[in-house]
Amino acid sequence: MQLSLESVRAVMGLRPDILPGLVLERAQPRTNRLAATVLTLVHAQGLRLGATGKAQLAAANARRTEYAHLTGIAAEHAHLTVLKGAAVEHCYPDGILRTSHDVDLLIPDEDELWAAVAAVDAARPGAEPAMSLLESPGRRDWAVALTWPAPESDLEYPYAAEFVTAAFTGDNSTVPLRPGHPDNPEATQLLCIAEELFQQKPRGRDVLDAAVLMDATGDAGRPALLRAAAQWRLAPELLRLAEAVAAVPQLRCRAAAGLAQDLAQPAAAETARRSTGADRAPRTRYGFFLGRGPALPRTVVEERQGLTMVRCPVGGFLLVDGPVVSPELVDAACRQWPQAALPG
């Protein structure tokens, strides 16, 4: 496995002689998200960063430090697993950063999740909360986010912490929500990246992450990874990742081609299973924030006059089924819960 400016250029489909400044420019958009990695590779190779590059690298390191600190706060209140982010960067070469705009924490226990959310919220006053509720037969799952401005610049990407009770929520059609995660940490992170392919094509960062994780898994860990891919119904998506890594020879990831070969049959089997009909997807309801007033120390879901309010440690949320909420619905919620407040 080789992680270098050469291999990063190849991952993004750039010429091998393109200047580092242009590599950084191409690394920044959502389609790649490799800026911090490029900055640290430039620094490691002794190339000039200049004032702008040093400031960007300092901002990336500050974000990394902040997320490590907040993960520690959350861990005081919950049994958690870091998804992607620092858990993947652990497999990067020493001194090379992974670009992480947010920190994702898996906390399967609902009470522990809300305790961790409350603790991080208290540590970062003024954070803007958001939440979704996923309802499946016999269980409910939460996705909660806190977002706040970067400490030194309003032009920088906002900081965010995301908390979920389930990492694998499916495709809303043929793949249902699957609770839990593999015992092997590299398998967990690979499957998290594969899960995201239900919503988007592999990005440059995804290919790089997959390469370092596949290299860390090696031949010895492949049987367990294949079993996990089958159990969490992600063999087709993991195959796409393996093929994307194998298509970049500059990465020198020997494990990718072998993994792709071993995934061919389970991927075909899973694709055939999906073709037989839809699985029952969880019902997703979105939280429309109605202020801090309705907050409660413990999370409750209240039903009144056909309206549903989630009252939790960070405020109150009106549950809705789509992105558009009528003013009349918000007014009705405020009448039922006088502590609520209209946005703005």
Side-chain angles (χ1 to χ4, degrees):
M1 168 67 202
Q2 177 174 303
L3 183 50
S4 63
L5 274 179
E6 177 192 8
S7 59
V8 169
R9 285 186 181 101
V11 165
M12 294 190 291
L14 304 178
R15 299 191 323 269
D17 60 343
I18 192 168
L19 294 173
L22 296 176
V23 176
L24 180 60
E25 180 185 42
R26 305 292 176 83
Q28 290 171 335
R30 182 179 179 85
T31 50
N32 285 313
R33 287 199 169 168
L34 287 167
T37 304
V38 169
L39 284 166
T40 46
L41 286 170
V42 167
H43 181 64
Q45 293 189 19
L47 302 176
R48 295 176 300 161
L49 286 175
T52 300
K54 289 177 181 177
Q56 289 177 304
L57 183 55
N61 275 307
R63 184 179 295 263
R64 179 176 182 265
T65 300
E66 166 79 338
Y67 289 158
H69 174 63
L70 295 179
T71 298
I73 291 175
E76 294 176 1
H77 301 269
H79 297 84
L80 60 81
T81 300
V82 177
L83 302 178
K84 301 168 292 183
V88 177
E89 188 181 274
H90 178 72
C91 295
Y92 276 46
D94 289 343
I96 304 303
L97 295 184
R98 177 190 184 272
T99 303
S100 296
H101 283 160
D102 57 18
V103 58
D104 298 290
L105 303 176
L106 171 64
I107 305 174
D109 183 88
E110 177 177 315
D111 290 339
E112 290 187 2
L113 178 137
W114 285 110
V117 169
V120 172
D121 183 63
R124 294 296 172 267
E128 179 180 336
M131 57 77 59
S132 297
L133 174 63
L134 291 78
E135 297 171 307
S136 306
R139 67 176 290 133
R140 68 182 184 185
D141 288 279
W142 300 93
V144 184
L146 297 172
T147 305
W148 61 99
E152 293 188 3
S153 172
D154 290 328
L155 299 178
E156 192 180 340
Y157 197 90
Y159 281 34
E162 299 187 6
F163 311 77
V164 296
T165 53
F168 306 109
T169 55
D171 66 351
N172 291 320
S173 177
T174 58
V175 181
L177 183 146
R178 293 91 68 220
H181 64 86
D183 293 332
N184 179 275
E186 286 79 22
T188 294
Q189 305 307 328
L190 273 168
L191 294 190
C192 283
I193 299 166
E195 179 85 5
E196 291 187 337
L197 300 191
F198 288 137
Q199 283 83 41
Q200 62 194 12
K201 296 179 180 179
R203 297 173 293 187
R205 185 183 63 185
D206 299 330
V207 175
L208 210 59
D209 286 351
V212 298
L213 289 165
M214 289 174 189
D215 188 66
T217 300
D219 294 338
R222 190 180 304 167
L225 176 58
L226 292 170
R227 289 192 297 270
Q231 180 176 347
W232 275 273
R233 302 187 183 184
L234 285 167
E237 289 69 36
L238 188 58
L239 174 59
R240 287 175 63 192
L241 281 176
E243 290 175 338
V245 173
V248 185
Q250 292 87 343
L251 286 171
R252 300 180 187 175
C253 181
R254 295 185 298 105
L259 178 60
Q261 183 176 356
D262 289 346
L263 280 166
Q265 191 280 327
E270 173 60 20
T271 300
R273 187 201 65 77
R274 296 177 189 179
S275 70
T276 61
D279 256 304
R280 184 170 179 177
R283 179 190 181 189
T284 301
R285 292 199 282 174
Y286 306 94
F288 184 83
F289 188 50
L290 288 177
R292 299 278 180 165
L296 290 174
R298 292 180 61 84
T299 299
V300 298
V301 180
E302 299 179 350
E303 304 274 354
R304 298 183 189 175
Q305 300 293 315
L307 303 173
T308 306
M309 167 83 86
V310 173
R311 301 179 68 185
C312 63
V314 294
F317 296 87
L318 176 66
L319 288 184
V320 296
D321 291 317
V324 179
V325 183
S326 70
E328 293 78 13
L329 191 63
V330 176
D331 286 340
C334 289
R335 287 194 298 271
Q336 292 296 323
W337 288 276
Q339 312 98 321
L342 290 172

